[in-house]
Amino acid sequence: MGVSASIGPAPLPGGGRVARVVSLDTLTRLRRARPAPASRPLPLPEGMTAPMGCDAVAVPARFGPQVLPRLPRVGCVYADRAHWWWIVPADSDHALEWPAPVRYTTGALVSDGSAVPGLILRPEGAIPYTPPIPLYLALCRVTGTTPAWSRTMIA
């Protein structure tokens, strides 16, 4: 079952009008394609490739050391005094509610006004990703958040 939104009538050749419909998938793609104001992507180390695109999960720095030992594999991790960023495949936020105070950034973008984060961990090989589901579960654990799929549904 798709979700759609009407964006206004479109003219027909005979002078009539027909409603244009945009799917939720299209709206999501448009939102993702819009660049964040005054931001830049985290640079991947030389020799690394991101075949699935890159997003980043920003976590307050105090949680970083608690998350690392809970992960089966760690990709590129960047840090400054305030945050740690984990590189994840693009669209890793699909159907996930990342726990507060975690911030998911499409395109692995960091605000230009913030300090340049440094690379603190680099995995072996050429792939920069931390697996998103183990990262999500580790972050839920350290923030005391119940994963979305484990919550009681209220009708």
Side-chain angles (χ1 to χ4, degrees), residues 44-45 48 74-78 85-87 119 121-123 128-130:
L44 291 181
M48 295 208 123
V74 177
C76 288
V77 180
Y78 297 81
W85 288 266
W86 273 266
I87 298 294
L119 181 67
L121 290 170
R122 178 192 168 135
Y129 306 125
T130 294

Side-chain angles (χ1 to χ4, degrees), residues 1-7 20-31:
M1 178 175 176
V3 176
S4 61
S6 176
I7 61 169
R20 292 184 199 174
V21 177
V22 177
S23 73
L24 184 58
D25 289 337
T26 301
L27 293 172
T28 300
R29 276 193 298 276
L30 288 171
R31 180 184 59 87

Side-chain angles (χ1 to χ4, degrees), residues 5-122:
S6 176
I7 61 169
L12 291 174
R17 296 182 101 45
V18 65
R20 292 184 199 174
V21 177
V22 177
S23 73
L24 184 58
D25 289 337
T26 301
L27 293 172
T28 300
R29 276 193 298 276
L30 288 171
R31 180 184 59 87
R32 289 179 183 280
R34 192 179 65 211
S39 59
R40 66 189 183 289
L42 290 167
L44 291 181
E46 186 147 342
M48 295 208 123
T49 61
M52 295 185 282
C54 279
D55 288 346
V57 177
V59 178
R62 70 181 182 275
F63 293 123
Q66 297 173 47
V67 171
L68 281 177
R70 298 174 188 275
L71 298 172
R73 180 187 187 286
V74 177
C76 288
V77 180
Y78 297 81
D80 63 18
R81 294 179 71 186
H83 294 94
W84 285 29
W85 288 266
W86 273 266
I87 298 294
V88 294
D91 299 326
S92 292
D93 62 335
H94 182 73
L96 284 180
E97 293 175 36
W98 290 86
V102 173
R103 186 180 63 215
Y104 188 91
T105 60
T106 303
L109 298 175
V110 178
S111 171
D112 274 343
S114 65
V116 176
L119 181 67
I120 61 169
L121 290 170
R122 178 192 168 135

